Amino acid sequence: MFNQVDVPTDRSELEKLLVAAYGAADPVELDGVGGATPTTSKAAVVSASPEPGVDVDYLFAQVGIGTGSVEWTSNCGNCATGVALYAAAKGMVPIAGDRTRVVMRNTNTGTVLEGLVDTTGGVVQHFGRQTVPGTRAGGVAVGLTFRDPAGGTTGLLFPTGESAQELRVDAAEPTRVSMVDAGAPVVLVDAIHAGRTGAESPERLRADVPWLRAVRHAAAPLMGLLQPGQEPGDAVPKAGLAGPPVAYTTTLGERVAAEDYDVSVRMLTMNAPHPAIGLTSAVAVAAAGLAADSVVSRAASGRAGEWLRLGTPAGVVAVRCSDVREGLPRRVTVQRAARLLADARIYVPDTGAPRAA
Amino acid sequence: MFNQVDVPTDRSELEKLLVAAYGAADPVELDGVGGATPTTSKAAVVSASPEPGVDVDYLFAQVGIGTGSVEWTSNCGNCATGVALYAAAKGMVPIAGDRTRVVMRNTNTGTVLEGLVDTTGGVVQHFGRQTVPGTRAGGVAVGLTFRDPAGGTTGLLFPTGESAQELRVDAAEPTRVSMVDAGAPVVLVDAIHAGRTGAESPERLRADVPWLRAVRHAAAPLMGLLQPGQEPGDAVPKAGLAGPPVAYTTTLGERVAAEDYDVSVRMLTMNAPHPAIGLTSAVAVAAAGLAADSVVSRAASGRAGEWLRLGTPAGVVAVRCSDVREGLPRRVTVQRAARLLADARIYVPDTGAPRAA
């Protein structure tokens, strides 16, 4: 997290600074703080927003490892979670009792998100017990809310006009799917209908990657995601399985009982099993759960309460749809956690001057 | 690098602090600054030394990823390089003209090292152009000198009494080796004699790991490295090939001409090809080069000048033996580089208080 007041506003100057600070010209990022993984070679530049109703703007940067360049077109839900805590901790928003609301605009995409940050007792928390799947470490609870996520790409929550339908994939029997656009365009396969469980291990799911890729390619044109003449790619729609809850063991070795969650979800990230679930995919699954006939609702069998609990390989993610009007959620909230690890001044070779981060 | 004044002196309290700061209880170190690799999950705690003639003491910690514990018995040449720059940059030693000498004692092992830090113009440098193999990034030049490294483990530079000899390994023809103890115990195989080049790629060397492991096991008892009844292990002696210089391409894709260096070296780290060479192994190779008949001298064929230049998979490492008395180097210097990446205050969950690093 960088404060905009500490770094250049000019995009190319900022790019140079980030590449130098992260050591990203070098494939091992030895000469910087990037950590040499895509997950850690990210940055958000945060500033007070001039937009009415928005507290802070943030520009998300995916710093290319070894490329010496920055990708500016995407968003990152985990970064948004961090931005909310950062804005509270650095005094960029007024602390309001036990929960502090931070309205954030991602300036890459224009998306507006809300973070509800645990500020118990009206003070900034540096530590907390809220966990997220994939790590046993606790952090400060941040409820991350997507506003009006339905139809962001295609204009419709269900771009085909149906909440579930049969999809012909290759020469095989038709597969029952829901094609959803909320947070991101996603095609969800009814796992039981397809002879799976939706609770497959990542190793087991790997064998189904070619098939799920074919599902994605079959769904893309029906969802209106292809320009005329364009071949289906591997980024959209996101693809995965949904099934009923069953007892399973997470990749961290923790047992999860069937009653601990409402629906099993196994997603791909590009063409590999996702270790948990992307936040935008979680939004899509929850939004699909609003329609009684969707593959999500059939898998959950009416178990879901206020929060829909998704069983992912790394653990359970809870998602809440609220302010639902005509079947469309105006707000979808995912429970997340964040923590300030360190305040640092980075020595950046190109300029010779230390920078705050 | 931690300043001792900022962290507990009690070893178990320090261990708890480092594990918490690095997030090391978790296998992905998500909740800390460890970076989830053995190379980055290291720490040095630096203090002014009470020992006459020593400027700073440093305690080296290898923080176990996912184990929640710290290994305290080893040393780390790269950390020593960093300690030298840190001591100069943080005002722990007087800056003395263009080169500032820092005498450091590793309190894990008692080893005393000297760092000669580039302080051109009598000021601390934050950036520099000195490179080390494995990265294209430049740093501040630090000459790292090992004092009296010969015989540190066995009492003798050549523990068998011979600078080179035939070693019978399994049922094959005897192999020509030098068994050396300087910096660390090392067995070096004459690559040409063994039908190799000494300039093998890491992939090619991988096929020779079982053989080099057998060489290590055959050498260990002759070097006096085994207690009675003890089986040879895979840590000592370190094992590798030495051969004449030939043109090759580094793992970073840079061409190296035969005239750019003096001897080809390919080492194992445990039972895998080392990506470059460990500093203590570099010391052993250079010390072996002082004996005219060693496999190093035969490979170098009298090419070496003041500095012996070792061709490693990642690039060339220069080592200098000086103050040589009766064939033993009193000083062995390796040219290294270091850079201050950041000054940080780490928020540590266990204590709730920020710590400086």
Side-chain angles (χ1 to χ4, degrees):
Chain A
M1 302 287 158
F2 293 80
N3 193 321
Q4 178 66 71
V5 298
D6 293 319
V7 299
T9 50
D10 178 79
R11 188 69 64 92
S12 74
E13 289 300 308
L14 177 61
E15 179 155 348
K16 278 185 213 158
L17 174 72
L18 291 174
V19 168
Y22 284 35
D26 192 286
V28 292
E29 294 195 335
L30 188 68
D31 196 40
V33 301
T37 75
T39 312
T40 53
S41 292
K42 296 177 173 187
V45 178
V46 187
S47 55
S49 178
E51 185 77 7
V54 175
D55 296 308
V56 295
D57 285 348
Y58 72 96
L59 177 66
F60 171 68
Q62 181 72 51
V63 181
I65 300 168
T67 69
S69 64
V70 172
E71 202 277 311
W72 296 105
T73 62
S74 53
N75 194 0
C76 168
N78 284 326
C79 288
T81 310
V83 167
L85 178 62
Y86 177 84
K90 300 306 174 188
M92 300 173 88
V93 294
I95 304 301
D98 288 348
R99 299 282 181 280
T100 293
R101 194 178 77 136
V102 183
V103 181
M104 304 171 277
R105 180 174 60 171
N106 173 244
T107 53
N108 310 75
T109 62
T111 304
V112 174
L113 295 154
E114 281 180 40
L116 196 64
V117 181
D118 177 6
T119 50
T120 297
V123 296
V124 172
Q125 306 290 310
H126 282 95
F127 307 102
R129 293 171 177 277
Q130 177 70 44
T131 56
V132 292
T135 173
R136 287 186 279 264
V140 179
V142 178
L144 189 67
T145 296
F146 295 74
R147 289 181 174 179
D148 289 318
T153 302
T154 66
L156 294 169
L157 173 58
F158 296 108
T160 64
E162 298 187 66
S163 57
Q165 67 201 90
E166 307 254 298
L167 179 70
R168 190 162 287 283
V169 181
D170 300 338
E173 285 294 297
T175 303
R176 185 171 172 79
V177 302
S178 289
M179 292 179 266
V180 196
D181 175 16
V186 174
V187 55
L188 293 166
V189 174
D190 183 325
I192 298 294
H193 183 273
R196 274 78 172 177
T197 67
E200 279 76 11
S201 69
E203 298 70 41
R204 178 70 191 69
L205 190 64
R206 206 176 302 279
D208 273 337
V209 168
W211 168 59
L212 285 169
R213 192 162 176 257
V215 169
R216 169 192 288 147
H217 291 178
L222 301 178
M223 296 177 74
L225 297 171
L226 296 185
Q227 300 298 320
Q230 190 184 3
E231 289 294 308
D234 289 323
V236 288
K238 296 169 189 289
L241 299 173
V246 294
Y248 73 105
T249 302
T250 70
T251 44
L252 280 180
E254 287 160 348
R255 288 294 297 170
V256 178
E259 54 267 33
D260 291 341
Y261 68 107
D262 306 308
V263 56
S264 293
V265 185
R266 295 295 182 270
M267 300 297 300
L268 299 191
T269 171
M270 300 299 283
N271 288 316
H274 196 294
I277 187 169
L279 287 183
T280 53
S281 297
V283 168
V285 173
L290 294 174
D293 193 43
S294 72
V295 302
V296 174
S297 299
R298 281 166 58 127
S301 302
R303 286 179 202 87
E306 183 188 0
W307 292 83
L308 182 70
R309 299 166 301 170
L310 316 184
T312 82
V316 175
V317 178
V319 192
R320 177 177 57 185
C321 293
S322 54
D323 198 0
V324 180
R325 305 185 198 172
E326 298 176 0
L328 302 181
R330 304 298 296 269
R331 300 169 61 81
V332 181
T333 302
V334 189
Q335 191 56 60
R336 307 299 292 168
R339 191 167 82 72
L340 285 175
L341 294 178
D343 290 315
R345 291 179 69 79
I346 304 172
Y347 294 93
V348 180
D350 278 358
T351 68
R355 297 280 179 178
Chain B
M1 302 286 157
F2 293 79
N3 193 322
Q4 178 66 71
V5 298
D6 294 320
V7 298
T9 50
D10 177 79
R11 187 71 63 91
S12 75
E13 289 300 309
L14 178 61
E15 181 155 344
K16 278 184 214 158
L17 174 73
L18 291 174
V19 167
Y22 283 37
D26 193 285
V28 293
E29 294 194 335
L30 187 68
D31 196 40
V33 301
T37 74
T39 312
T40 53
S41 291
K42 296 178 173 187
V45 178
V46 187
S47 55
S49 179
E51 184 75 8
V54 176
D55 295 309
V56 294
D57 285 348
Y58 72 96
L59 177 67
F60 172 68
Q62 181 72 52
V63 181
I65 300 168
T67 68
S69 64
V70 172
E71 203 276 310
W72 296 105
T73 62
S74 55
N75 193 0
C76 167
N78 284 327
C79 288
T81 309
V83 168
L85 178 62
Y86 178 83
K90 300 306 174 189
M92 300 174 87
V93 294
I95 304 302
D98 288 347
R99 299 283 180 281
T100 293
R101 195 178 76 138
V102 182
V103 181
M104 304 170 278
R105 181 174 59 171
N106 172 243
T107 53
N108 309 74
T109 62
T111 304
V112 174
L113 295 153
E114 281 181 37
L116 196 64
V117 181
D118 177 6
T119 49
T120 299
V123 296
V124 172
Q125 306 290 310
H126 283 95
F127 307 101
R129 295 172 175 276
Q130 177 71 43
T131 56
V132 292
T135 172
R136 287 187 279 266
V140 180
V142 177
L144 189 67
T145 296
F146 294 74
R147 289 180 175 179
D148 289 320
T153 302
T154 65
L156 294 169
L157 174 57
F158 296 107
T160 64
E162 298 188 66
S163 58
Q165 67 202 89
E166 308 254 299
L167 179 71
R168 189 163 288 281
V169 180
D170 300 335
E173 285 293 297
T175 302
R176 185 174 173 78
V177 303
S178 289
M179 291 179 267
V180 196
D181 175 14
V186 174
V187 54
L188 294 165
V189 174
D190 182 326
I192 297 295
H193 182 273
R196 274 77 173 177
T197 66
E200 278 76 10
S201 70
E203 297 71 41
R204 178 70 191 70
L205 189 64
R206 206 175 301 278
D208 273 336
V209 167
W211 168 60
L212 286 169
R213 192 160 176 260
V215 169
R216 168 193 289 149
H217 290 178
L222 302 178
M223 296 177 75
L225 296 172
L226 296 186
Q227 301 296 321
Q230 190 184 7
E231 289 293 306
D234 289 324
V236 289
K238 295 170 189 289
L241 299 172
V246 294
Y248 73 105
T249 302
T250 70
T251 43
L252 279 180
E254 287 161 348
R255 288 295 297 169
V256 177
E259 54 267 32
D260 291 340
Y261 68 109
D262 305 308
V263 56
S264 293
V265 185
R266 294 296 181 272
M267 300 296 300
L268 299 192
T269 171
M270 299 299 284
N271 288 315
H274 196 295
I277 188 170
L279 287 184
T280 53
S281 297
V283 168
V285 173
L290 295 174
D293 194 41
S294 73
V295 301
V296 174
S297 299
R298 281 166 58 129
S301 301
R303 287 180 201 87
E306 181 187 2
W307 292 83
L308 181 71
R309 298 166 301 171
L310 317 183
T312 83
V316 175
V317 177
V319 193
R320 177 177 56 186
C321 293
S322 55
D323 197 0
V324 180
R325 302 184 200 172
E326 297 175 1
L328 302 180
R330 304 298 297 269
R331 300 170 60 81
V332 181
T333 302
V334 189
Q335 190 58 60
R336 308 299 294 167
R339 191 167 82 72
L340 285 177
L341 295 177
D343 289 316
R345 290 179 70 79
I346 304 173
Y347 295 93
V348 180
D350 278 358
T351 68
R355 299 278 179 178

